Amino acid sequence: MAQPLFQPGERDKLRRHFGEDFYRRLIAVVDEYTGRWSLRELRFLPSYSANARAG
């Protein structure tokens, strides 16, 4: 992919809420499937679920 998957603020939010290990696994899986499925664009939408929102 040409541009970074997450903006700096998004990366920080993910790391704070889910932890560094989760973030690294997420990036690895997304990288793998981006290539496997020949994806050219991928966008993450923020979740407004109470379960996913950092306090």
Side-chain angles (χ1 to χ4, degrees):
M1 250 184 261
Q3 63 187 53
L5 186 57
F6 298 107
Q7 299 301 316
E10 293 170 327
R11 288 192 297 262
D12 294 341
K13 236 184 214 182
L14 282 166
R15 285 178 171 134
R16 275 195 313 270
H17 189 78
F18 296 105
E20 186 68 27
D21 289 339
F22 174 86
Y23 177 77
R24 287 177 190 229
R25 286 192 310 265
L26 172 66
I27 296 302
V29 168
V30 168
D31 282 346
E32 177 183 343
Y33 284 95
T34 297
R36 187 181 288 191
W37 296 336
S38 301
L39 299 176
R40 291 187 304 244
E41 182 179 343
L42 183 64
R43 282 186 268 160
F44 283 93
L45 302 176
S47 172
Y48 294 102
S49 167
N51 294 326
R53 185 178 59 204

